[in-house]
Amino acid sequence: MPVEKQLVASLTAACEAAKREIPGFLWLTHEGDSRLSPGSLHVVWVFDTQESLAHALETGQGKRMYGLTAEAFRQAAVPITAAEAHVSFDTEEACARHNAGNWQARLAMLRSFSR
């Protein structure tokens, strides 16, 4: 199975696990090219509200999401050293407030800040 296809399948499994385990977690997305530059890969874990996100991080669920991300990358044979460097968190609430619900614009804005 091609790397990108395996990565999507692995991240989908991670997403489904997190939806069952972590209150307020809704979905995730990834960006970057695993074939050209594994270091460019970035996963955004999206929650419903800032309150849900804060609660998840306060109760140690951030570690779980980093672990799920690392496992997805491992399953897809994408070499990374620390999942934390490839993960960020966001909320539907923040996207609605700052980007009128436009996730493409929000992700582009976040990319520009991370460079």
Side-chain angles (χ1 to χ4, degrees), residues 12-27 45 68:
T12 298
C15 181
E16 293 305 315
K19 283 197 254 183
R20 289 188 303 273
E21 299 172 21
I22 304 171
F25 170 72
L26 298 176
W27 55 278
W45 293 76
L68 287 167

Side-chain angles (χ1 to χ4, degrees), residues 1-10 75-77:
M1 181 181 297
V3 172
E4 183 64 20
K5 191 171 185 175
Q6 179 59 52
L7 182 59
V8 168
S10 298
Q75 288 176 1

Side-chain angles (χ1 to χ4, degrees), residues 21-73:
E21 299 172 21
I22 304 171
F25 170 72
L26 298 176
W27 55 278
L28 62 78
T29 190
H30 79 286
E31 298 184 311
D33 190 327
S34 57
R35 291 168 293 158
L36 297 177
S37 176
S40 73
L41 286 172
H42 190 81
V43 178
V44 180
W45 293 76
V46 180
F47 283 76
D48 54 359
T49 65
Q50 188 62 36
E51 183 178 341
S52 292
L53 172 56
H55 182 262
L57 296 177
E58 289 166 4
T59 58
Q61 294 299 325
K63 186 174 181 179
R64 175 70 174 138
M65 290 178 279
Y66 292 136
L68 287 167
T69 303
E71 178 61 18
F73 283 9

Side-chain angles (χ1 to χ4, degrees), residues 89-106:
F89 305 101
D90 208 340
T91 67
E92 288 281 356
E93 180 179 63
C95 183
R97 182 179 311 124
H98 301 290
N99 301 92
N102 182 334
W103 275 99
Q104 287 183 326
R106 182 150 185 88

